[in-house]
Amino acid sequence: MDLAPPATGRRTRPASARLRRWLRVAAIAMAVLLLLAVLLDRLFPLRLPAPDTGSTVVLARDGTPLRAFADSDGVWRYPTTASKVSPLYLSALLTYEDRWFYRLPGVNPYALARGAFLSLRGGRIVSGGSTLTMQVARIIMPMPHTVAGKVVQVFRALQLEAHLSKAQILDLYLNHAPFGGPIQGVEAASWAYLGKPAERLSHAEAALLAVLPQSPSLLRPDRHPDAARRARDKVLRRMHDEGLWSAATVHDAEMEPVVARSLRAPLAAALLAERLHQQQPKSRRIVTTIDANLQRAVEDRVSNYLARLPPRTSAAVLVVENTSLAARVYVGTAEFGSVQRLGHVDMVRAPRSPGSTLKPFLYGLALDDGLITSQSLLIDAPQDFGGYKPGNFDETFSGPVSAAEALQRSLNVPAVDVLDHVGPKRFVARLANGGIDLQLPQGAQPNLSIILGGASTRLEDLVGAYTAFANGGIAGTPRYVPEQPRQARRLLSPGAAWIIRDILATNPADVDGAPIEGTINRHGAVAWKTGTSYGYRDAWAIGVADGWTVGVWIGRPDGTPSPGQYGAVTSLPLMFDIVDMLPDKHAYAAQPASVRKMDICWPLGGAVSSTPPALCRQRRSAWTLDGALPPTFAERDLTAWSAGLANLRVDAAGHRLSATCHGKGEHTVQIARWPALATPWLSTDDAAHAALPPLAPGCATDSLDVASPIRIAGLSDGARLRQAPNSTKPLHVTLQALGTTGEVQWLLDGRLQGSSLGNANMHLALPQAGDHRVTALTRNGAFAHLSVRVDKP
């Protein structure tokens, strides 16, 4: 008897077939879905924000925003990453917004279903069920809040998950989430509302910023602090409920008030930020060398200081750290954006006349050339340098001065004299090697006027060059970004740089005629120099300490003169104020081995030890470089006396014997002669010792008597004059110089009044009552002077 196959066997084969059939269908469906996903991905590609577009933020060295440049849509965004954001914020964000962020592929089916159910029950969208990835999709590609929009949002979220890593998706949220107004991204929001970086948030601040993008307009803490606080506290409670933050931590956080600043973009070092943004237009995050706290403090000080100056006056300040050449403060204008002050003009890099600020480099180069010591005798008197006749800033002259005094008092004639010996072309070349590229008028060649401001340079070039006085003679270019290489060049020898710095740091400051007469220099460790350009257009002050170099410019950007505003009274006080703000002024630099202190003699310039006492009329303690003791400069005019030692033959009576003349008791004497132009300022004793003995009777005239005596006609020595009663006009006198056919310079109380030729009339005004001294001086050193008293009416 045949048995039928078991029923189970007949059912197994169809079931297995059905399974295989379903698997094939599923595979086909998956393939179709995958193909559809790929097709949709190709047809509707992601539009991710380009990394090299958008807003730019320029940062201080500690990450503090200095200035932000909005993108084409006016959005402020400070680029950041999760590694640069506080872990407290990340924890609050992911816990409150999407705790399954790292576990789900961008979509949470349960949340979507729950959101759909609540929306259907309420008749409106109550909860969208959006994950963080879905929020990113909506942020970067806006879509309507509809069912269709939700479908698109889900699709875009899946696209994001397919193309990007979780870290990249999170960074997109951190940089593009809306925080109210033009603010996007947590870093910009943290600075805008809290004034701090997102990496330093408290628990309460982290909770606030985590919830703010949910409704940025309604929760803005600067406009709706109560609503913002309620939303923040909801996040805090959630963090406690999830066991992430303790009850004590949450309680303390809830006690923190919601205090937000009004939204405003940062605007410190604005012109430097603009400069760097122009140099790096594609960079979204530019880190500078600027010290944010010091920058703000100096900007406030400049603003307050300029309030007492004329309304169109501007200022520039540059503070450089000497060792690194990094700029810590950059103030390009007194008031950025001011139309009146031309606040868009960056005066740190605007070419301006440097006034006398180049003089320290000139004297340093002269030291290196062995032309002078710190106490070499120079003459501050009217001189003619091939038709160029410089005067001093205050139009007075002081006669014999040391190189140090000439530099400290910024005397012009001695500086031109030194430049004439160094050579203008060589001086300009050395400055260019040190970073100061002087701009001369079109078609002009280097000339003697350069040392008095007859060219243009920039504040940043001057500050970079002045760092040489703290860096052993090596100048450098100021650095504005950390990656900028350190560019240093030899400008002076270490010894010359040290001597010049010592001269500038030991300005007595209360000597007659000093730049800040009557004051006490409390900044003994700071070497400083002022400068004023022709017509009071530019007022400069530059100070050097071991750690810092500070440069200040004040003036009008359009070049209009500002009468009465000059370096010593306008820029120097501000420069000292800024020096006082610096955190560390350091000790004084060590004296180089090449520098020695030696006693020298005037007028010859030799060492006291090798000069006979009778020839050492004045003793000076000088800094010397490499032991060099150069003699006093010789006279420029060959028809005048030449400074130096004169060996004369005299007879027994002390009369001078010329070449072919002889006399009884003939012997040789030595006379230390002063430069002829110094004679009017010499004491009676010094003048007597330098005077030539008269020629012996019968001796032929020699070449030593070229400086024929002159006298002043028109007034008697010791005359007393009185202004006419009820007259408001100054008293005028008419004088003549007799005994010369050449040019005569006329000085009143040491101040140049003008010149005359031969015995032509000279009209002098005597505006004030009191004693006055009138001096007439020829080019070859002949002079005459008289005293006069003007009585009150």
Side-chain angles (χ1 to χ4, degrees), residues 708-715 734-747 754-764 774-779 782-786:
S708 302
I710 64 171
R711 65 186 182 88
I712 298 175
L715 276 180
T734 301
L735 305 175
Q736 292 176 303
L738 304 180
T740 182
T741 59
E743 184 182 27
V744 180
Q745 303 278 353
W746 292 86
L747 292 83
S755 61
S756 62
L757 188 64
N759 61 356
N761 290 340
M762 181 66 192
H763 303 282
L764 293 180
V774 178
T775 302
L777 179 65
T778 67
R779 287 184 58 187
F783 76 97
H785 49 222
L786 55 82

Side-chain angles (χ1 to χ4, degrees), residues 11-238:
R11 290 193 298 270
T12 301
R13 282 195 295 270
S16 177
R18 285 195 300 271
L19 177 60
R20 287 193 298 270
R21 191 163 52 250
W22 279 110
L23 289 175
R24 284 196 299 269
V25 171
I28 293 172
M30 289 295 293
V32 171
L33 288 174
L34 181 60
L35 181 62
L36 180 61
V38 172
L39 182 61
L40 290 174
D41 186 61
R42 294 292 181 89
L43 292 175
F44 305 100
L46 282 170
R47 297 191 303 273
L48 298 177
D52 59 345
T53 60
S55 58
T56 296
V57 60
V58 180
L59 308 169
R61 61 173 180 160
D62 64 352
T64 302
L66 297 175
R67 183 180 179 185
F69 296 87
D71 64 11
S72 58
D73 297 324
V75 171
W76 304 98
R77 186 186 306 114
Y78 303 168
T80 190
T81 61
S83 62
K84 298 178 181 177
V85 174
S86 168
L88 297 177
Y89 171 77
L90 296 177
S91 178
L93 172 67
L94 295 177
T95 300
Y96 191 75
E97 291 289 351
D98 188 0
R99 56 180 172 170
W100 302 101
F101 175 70
Y102 286 105
R103 302 180 187 179
L104 294 176
V107 177
N108 188 333
Y110 171 77
L112 283 176
R114 177 177 176 273
F117 173 75
L118 293 176
S119 299
L120 288 173
R121 190 176 67 175
R124 59 185 179 86
I125 296 178
V126 176
S127 173
S130 296
T131 63
L132 198 66
T133 305
M134 292 173 65
Q135 293 182 46
V136 171
R138 188 181 295 278
I139 289 171
I140 65 175
M141 291 169 287
M143 54 198 70
H145 289 271
T146 63
V147 174
K150 182 62 66 175
V151 173
V152 174
Q153 187 180 13
V154 169
F155 167 68
R156 293 300 191 186
L158 294 173
Q159 271 187 304
L160 286 171
E161 293 283 345
H163 287 278
L164 303 178
S165 68
K166 290 290 188 180
Q168 290 173 314
I169 295 172
L170 179 58
D171 284 348
L172 282 174
Y173 182 89
L174 296 179
N175 285 283
H176 294 273
F179 282 86
I183 305 300
Q184 284 189 6
V186 65
E187 187 71 17
S190 183
W191 281 108
Y193 293 120
L194 307 174
K196 64 195 303 187
E199 64 181 355
R200 296 206 299 264
L201 298 175
S202 67
H203 289 79
E205 292 165 341
L208 173 64
L209 295 186
V211 75
L212 184 53
Q214 278 200 349
S215 185
S217 297
L218 299 178
L219 299 179
R220 277 182 55 168
D222 60 325
R223 294 182 177 177
H224 310 289
D226 293 335
R229 178 167 187 158
R230 288 192 296 270
R232 180 204 67 180
D233 291 349
K234 184 178 178 181
V235 176
L236 291 172
R237 289 191 294 272
R238 174 76 61 83

Side-chain angles (χ1 to χ4, degrees), residues 453-501:
S456 298
T457 189
R458 304 181 301 175
L459 175 60
E460 62 184 353
D461 292 343
L462 281 174
V463 170
Y466 265 79
T467 62
F469 297 117
N471 291 334
I474 298 178
T477 300
R479 298 168 55 243
Y480 302 123
V481 292
E483 60 270 19
Q484 182 179 344
R486 190 178 187 276
Q487 297 179 358
R489 299 162 294 272
R490 172 67 64 184
L491 182 55
L492 299 170
S493 70
W498 189 92
I499 291 174
I500 296 301
R501 178 176 172 183

